[in-house]
Amino acid sequence: MEFRVPATSANLGPGFDSLGLALKLYNRFSLKPSKITSIQIHGEGSKNPKLRVDNVFVRIFNEQLKKLTGSAIPFKFVFDNAIPISRGLGSSSAVIIGAISAAFKVAQVPFDKQKIVNLALRYESHPDNITPACMGGFNVCMLASRDKEVRFINQSLPDSISAVVVIPNQSTSTHLSRQSLPKRYFQKDAVFNLSHASLLSSAFITGRFDLLREASQDRLHQFYRMKQIPLLFEVQRTALQNGALMSTLSGSGSSFFSLCYQDDKKRLFDALSQKFSKLKVLSLEFDNDGVLFENESLEYFGDEFKF
């Protein structure tokens, strides 16, 4: 069984914990029944031995598979990771959505993305990354029913727009990053973010991308998080001067996400690559599929797959 889960960029400026979209940068997963559990990691995280000892994907997969079937069997897990770890591009959400999705497929239960997103809340309490990782596209999401369910509206993104992402070498802890935020806000700043997040959402859904530059402004979190890596202010300024329709901190950082029209992609990519040559700069398209199985077959033991 082989499948992929996309990277995500969340918040998108004013949409703190409520807006996110998916990018064509993937973690790919392969599972084969085996007599013993084994783990192979390629790409991001391959040099971290801890990921073979206590692998989050394997732990969540086994937990969910046992709930679905009452038992579990060992697998050979192969991970081919392209999503940078702790860079604000949803690497943990890709793992969580991937593990739960794999459990559903192996258990041969109906593949329900709404249920998968809801189950993911057990491992990730904010829906802005797990929702686009599962659904793809642009997502407006919120928690409902005492935080047990995700409500969301999903919108596919057109080929006329593209993304350029700048990835610093410095990792960021979401937990520590949240500690840098104010405990209280002025009412005018809360209203500012409400109005801008509302306009940003409407702009994505209606295709009014000309409104994104103004609508993507934020007063709740970006400034405080960007202060930890001051270079990001210059990244944002350079992007907006070279064709970006919006340029925002990706999640809690450290990556920076910029959106542009396809015709401006090369100009934006070249400007950022030349000015920030020591940082990784990626030109990416948008993913509208979310978690996607490319090969659902399993090599069964004998004539059938038994638990």
Side-chain angles (χ1 to χ4, degrees), residues 103-137:
F104 269 59
K105 286 292 185 179
V106 171
Q108 300 179 5
V109 300
F111 193 69
D112 187 329
K113 285 192 172 184
Q114 176 71 69
K115 288 184 179 179
I116 290 170
V117 170
N118 291 340
L119 286 170
L121 287 174
R122 174 170 182 172
Y123 310 99
E124 169 55 66
S125 59
H126 307 111
D128 51 342
N129 279 119
I130 57 174
T131 308
C134 190
M135 305 303 302

Side-chain angles (χ1 to χ4, degrees), residues 162-168 231-248 254-260 264-284:
S162 185
V164 177
V165 178
V166 177
I167 307 172
L231 183 65
L232 295 179
F233 290 102
E234 186 60 26
V235 170
Q236 184 182 50
R237 185 159 43 248
T238 301
L240 292 173
Q241 290 173 349
N242 287 276
L245 294 166
M246 62 180 288
S247 188
T248 59
S254 58
S255 296
F256 223 81
F257 163 83
S258 296
L259 181 148
C260 63
D264 294 321
K265 180 174 64 173
K266 185 178 185 306
R267 171 190 168 195
L268 178 58
F269 175 81
D270 290 346
L272 291 170
S273 298
Q274 292 169 13
K275 187 156 188 177
F276 306 101
S277 58
K278 294 184 179 181
L279 308 184
K280 181 183 290 187
V281 182
L282 300 179
S283 176
L284 301 169

Side-chain angles (χ1 to χ4, degrees), residues 15-28:
F16 193 31
D17 286 352
S18 59
L19 302 180
L21 50 75
L23 299 162
K24 287 188 176 181
L25 180 68
Y26 301 103
N27 279 2
R28 297 179 183 274

Side-chain angles (χ1 to χ4, degrees), residues 205-224:
I205 291 172
T206 61
R208 286 293 308 276
F209 303 119
D210 57 299
L211 297 175
L212 292 181
R213 181 169 183 142
E214 185 173 13
S216 61
Q217 295 177 33
D218 161 81
R219 290 185 182 176
L220 296 188
H221 71 103
Q222 280 199 154
F223 173 78
Y224 306 101

Side-chain angles (χ1 to χ4, degrees), residues 188-204:
K188 64 179 182 180
D189 292 331
V191 172
F192 180 95
N193 265 58
L194 284 169
S195 61
H196 282 68
S198 298
L199 184 62
L200 185 74
S201 301
S202 297
F204 269 106

